[in-house]
Amino acid sequence: MVDAWPVSLPQKFLVDGFSEQLGDGVLEYAPDAGPTLTRRRSTAAPRPLSGNMEMTSAQLAALKTFYEVTIINGSLPFTLPDPLGGADLLVKFQKGGQPKWSALGGDYFTVVLVLWILP
């Protein structure tokens, strides 16, 4: 069973910094002569998703526990509410895309998440 994004954490990304795009399911290679050749690699390509969330220090601590313990340092997929209002998405942190945060002031932080939407 796949774990879900904790309800104690924000359920939506901030508008500023939100980004989603189509997956790259194409393979391109260069033969010895002539133009590059392109073909479909897969019909199920992961799609990049990234964005910022505003969190308190308590929420940031909960995110760290979720990341390090529940999804084993980001190695396991989890469900996340669809930022566009659809059904929950199956996502996974991108390699090298560990959550990062910066202080906003007071007890608030901006947290950057870089994810893959899995097919």
Side-chain angles (χ1 to χ4, degrees), residues 9 13 35 54 60 64 66 68 73 75 83:
L9 298 180
F13 290 101
E54 190 175 297
L60 183 56
K64 290 177 187 178
F66 177 72
E68 293 173 341
N73 288 340
S75 64

Side-chain angles (χ1 to χ4, degrees), residues 50-67:
S50 62
N52 304 325
M53 291 184 172
E54 190 175 297
M55 296 186 189
T56 64
S57 58
Q59 288 174 318
L60 183 56
L63 173 63
K64 290 177 187 178
T65 300
F66 177 72
Y67 182 83

Side-chain angles (χ1 to χ4, degrees), residues 34-98:
T36 59
L37 301 173
T38 306
R39 68 175 177 85
R40 181 173 18 181
R41 176 185 345 197
S42 170
T43 58
R47 302 184 338 249
L49 171 69
S50 62
N52 304 325
M53 291 184 172
E54 190 175 297
M55 296 186 189
T56 64
S57 58
Q59 288 174 318
L60 183 56
L63 173 63
K64 290 177 187 178
T65 300
F66 177 72
Y67 182 83
E68 293 173 341
V69 177
T70 307
I71 60 170
I72 312 172
N73 288 340
S75 64
L76 298 176
F78 59 97
T79 58
L80 179 78
D82 185 350
L84 303 177
D88 287 352
L89 302 172
L90 182 64
V91 298
K92 182 179 175 189
F93 280 93
Q94 290 185 18
K95 181 165 176 48
Q98 304 89 332

Side-chain angles (χ1 to χ4, degrees), residues 1-60:
M1 174 129 192
V2 177
D3 289 295
W5 180 253
V7 294
S8 62
L9 298 180
Q11 301 297 301
K12 296 207 181 268
F13 290 101
L14 299 173
V15 173
D16 184 34
F18 174 76
S19 173
E20 183 179 349
Q21 69 185 58
L22 296 174
D24 181 12
V26 174
L27 178 65
E28 184 174 82
Y29 57 97
D32 291 339
T36 59
L37 301 173
T38 306
R39 68 175 177 85
R40 181 173 18 181
R41 176 185 345 197
S42 170
T43 58
R47 302 184 338 249
L49 171 69
S50 62
N52 304 325
M53 291 184 172
E54 190 175 297
M55 296 186 189
T56 64
S57 58
Q59 288 174 318
L60 183 56

